[in-house]
Amino acid sequence: MPAGTSAVSRPTLPSPADIAVLAETFRLLGDPTRLRILFSCLDAPRSVGDIAQSLELSQSLVSHHLRLLRGARLVRGQRRARQVFYELADQHVSDMLADMAYHVAEEHAEK
């Protein structure tokens, strides 16, 4: 393999439509409350009530944010009896959150 190349291939340049979707996704991720909700669902599915209680937020606020996150395909819900449990949509979302948290922690450790 030539110097400076990687075994992992880089994705092709996204289409303008995909760029717009990515920009909207990053805009949604720019809200601290939504990030806290995503991190609370990182390890296991959680109900709206559990998320609200652990983050000290109202259930209506958590539901509002979950609706936006679900629309962006960042979380998915699964109904169990009368409750819906939310989890991260897939491993890509989980990896991205973990990688970015590590990146930030690494940056702070260097200072």
Side-chain angles (χ1 to χ4, degrees):
M1 188 174 341
T5 60
S6 167
V8 177
S9 64
R10 295 182 67 117
T12 59
L13 183 65
S15 70
D18 288 344
I19 292 286
V21 171
L22 279 169
E24 178 61 18
T25 301
F26 284 119
R27 186 188 68 76
L28 285 170
L29 292 172
D31 182 282
T33 299
R34 285 193 279 270
L35 280 176
R36 291 175 63 212
I37 290 169
L38 288 173
F39 276 105
S40 75
C41 298
L42 191 59
D43 295 326
R46 311 251 334 250
S47 70
V48 174
D50 288 343
I51 296 167
Q53 184 177 13
S54 68
L55 299 180
E56 299 180 349
L57 300 168
S58 71
Q59 285 192 17
S60 62
L61 181 62
V62 170
S63 292
H64 168 73
H65 286 298
L66 284 167
R67 185 172 52 254
L68 296 172
L69 293 168
R70 195 174 56 240
R73 297 179 25 229
L74 295 170
V75 297
R76 62 179 171 220
Q78 181 180 35
R79 183 168 292 283
R80 295 183 198 161
R82 297 183 67 178
Q83 289 187 315
V84 178
F85 286 77
Y86 290 89
E87 62 186 343
L88 299 184
D90 57 37
Q91 194 63 42
H92 296 112
V93 176
S94 177
D95 290 347
M96 180 217 30
L97 284 174
D99 287 347
M100 291 308 293
Y102 180 77
H103 174 72
V104 169
E106 185 179 60
E107 182 179 299
H108 286 132
E110 292 174 0
K111 292 182 180 180

